[in-house]
Amino acid sequence: MTGPTTDGTRAVTALDTTTDRLRVRGLDTGPADQVENVVVLVHGNLSSSEFFRRQLEALPDGWRGIAPDLRGFGGTDPAPVDATRGVRDYSDDVLSLLDALGVARAHLLGWSLGGGVVTQAALDRPSAVASLVLVDPVSPYGYGATRADGSRLADDDPGAGAGLANPRLVELLAAGERGEEDPSSPRNVMNGLYFAHGFRSPDEEELLTAVLSTRTGDDHYPGDAAPAAGWPSTGPGTRGVLNTLAPKHFDTSALTSLSDDGRRPPVLWVRGEHDAIVSDAAALDLAVLGGAGVVPGWPGEQEYPVQPMVAQTRAVLDAYAAGGGSYREVVLDAGHSPHVERPEEFAAALREHLEAAGPSGRG
């Protein structure tokens, strides 16, 4: 079933498509033969397409929303992740999904890790992108171990990647733990880090199920680790999700020159004002943790500075605009998940962006 439901929202159905890379599942508003006015919504780490259900329901008439589960999340095949390619295993999967569905050009929306995925897809196939929507995206220089200008602290990226993942969280994810007695439980991590102001989603159980769909291990979450010469003596390996964002593997700052024969797609940047995961002093930034004494031995700001993630994103988007592109920044009173915490405000910003950007067309 497609079209509006009895309460006026869009009907959301299951996506189940086999591409030339893997079997992709997720959510879709249809109709299946609509290849114009398409929005593709790509989720972040420790989540799935379920985090976009309410936004799919709120899409304007005439727009098709497709939210795939990335490999290793939700119902999509758990193919291994080669982190040496950055996020290209994910972005290539998204592009192959568009091919399988016959969609030549779409509006690409990415949240957190998904922001890096859709940016990489745009860089690799500019003609496929009608516009970009970046929701609390990972910095263009990855997560951890970079200076303000994006330069890397060292060749082995100390402190980035899978080596510092919380082993207790990994254990509880693998066990499917739904309780909240353990401080590291998936429920507590979701409610404490994804959301601000003590927000509890009315869809909490469904969202927790999405978090628990995360595959664990060296090929998925968190990935493998490697020794590093500098503090904290661990760095990224070559497999799994957290290593895809290590600066040695990931850099999407070439967004500054993105164009398709001179056409520069408009960008909407939506972020939560109280984001604890992606900010200029992120709660998970190793330098922040070191400065607070949580991780001992921090060598200080000179040697291991805090990564200003929002400032890095803004600098790249400013350069994109200076080169003839355009972007709009929307800041909502939310944490890392403004589409969940402030669904109506987010939907309004997305609707305005889509109307201004225009239809995706057939390429």
Side-chain angles (χ1 to χ4, degrees), residues 143-147 153 158-160 164 231-232 280-309:
Y143 204 96
T146 64
R147 302 176 184 86
L153 300 184
L164 290 171
W231 181 83
D280 286 342
L284 302 181
D285 186 318
L286 192 62
V288 173
L289 294 171
V294 176
V295 180
W298 179 56
E301 184 72 19
Q302 185 73 18
E303 184 175 334
Y304 204 107
V306 172
Q307 180 186 10
M309 304 176 192

Side-chain angles (χ1 to χ4, degrees), residues 12 103 274 298 313 321 355:
V12 177
V103 177
H274 310 287
W298 179 56
T313 295
E355 291 173 353

Side-chain angles (χ1 to χ4, degrees), residues 45-46 143-145 153 156-170 184 189 193 218 221-228 230-237 239 241-243 246 283-290 294-299 304:
N45 193 15
L46 298 181
Y143 204 96
L153 300 184
D156 54 6
D157 291 347
L164 290 171
N166 182 341
R168 181 60 174 160
L169 171 60
V170 177
S184 295
V189 169
L193 287 176
D218 286 350
Y221 182 86
D224 61 342
W231 181 83
S233 303
T234 184
R239 301 154 61 195
V241 58
L242 292 186
N243 295 320
L284 302 181
D285 186 318
L286 192 62
V288 173
L289 294 171
V294 176
V295 180
W298 179 56
Y304 204 107

Side-chain angles (χ1 to χ4, degrees), residues 107-130:
H107 299 265
L108 302 184
L109 181 155
W111 165 46
S112 195
L113 162 70
V117 172
V118 300
T119 303
Q120 188 65 64
L123 293 173
D124 291 343
R125 193 189 294 180
S127 63
V129 184

Side-chain angles (χ1 to χ4, degrees), residues 42-65:
V42 180
H43 66 82
N45 193 15
L46 298 181
S47 63
S48 79
S49 59
E50 188 63 33
F51 275 77
F52 288 124
R53 180 177 292 273
R54 287 186 180 266
Q55 291 305 319
L56 291 169
E57 292 173 343
L59 282 176
D61 290 343
W63 289 86
R64 178 185 182 185

Side-chain angles (χ1 to χ4, degrees), residues 1 3-11 54 56-61 351:
M1 183 174 93
T5 61
T6 55
D7 63 1
T9 62
R10 295 288 299 277
R54 287 186 180 266
L56 291 169
E57 292 173 343
L59 282 176
D61 290 343
R351 185 179 305 111

Side-chain angles (χ1 to χ4, degrees), residues 265-357:
V267 177
L268 172 64
W269 177 25
V270 183
R271 61 182 184 87
E273 184 179 5
H274 310 287
D275 189 351
I277 296 177
V278 176
S279 79
D280 286 342
L284 302 181
D285 186 318
L286 192 62
V288 173
L289 294 171
V294 176
V295 180
W298 179 56
E301 184 72 19
Q302 185 73 18
E303 184 175 334
Y304 204 107
V306 172
Q307 180 186 10
M309 304 176 192
V310 172
Q312 288 176 332
T313 295
R314 181 173 290 107
V316 167
L317 290 174
D318 283 345
Y320 179 68
S326 66
Y327 81 92
R328 176 187 174 213
E329 179 181 358
V330 174
V331 182
L332 298 180
D333 183 17
H336 188 60
S337 310
H339 53 298
V340 176
E341 300 165 83
R342 295 287 183 265
E344 294 180 359
E345 294 170 67
F346 185 93
L350 177 59
R351 185 179 305 111
E352 182 178 346
H353 170 78
L354 293 175
E355 291 173 353

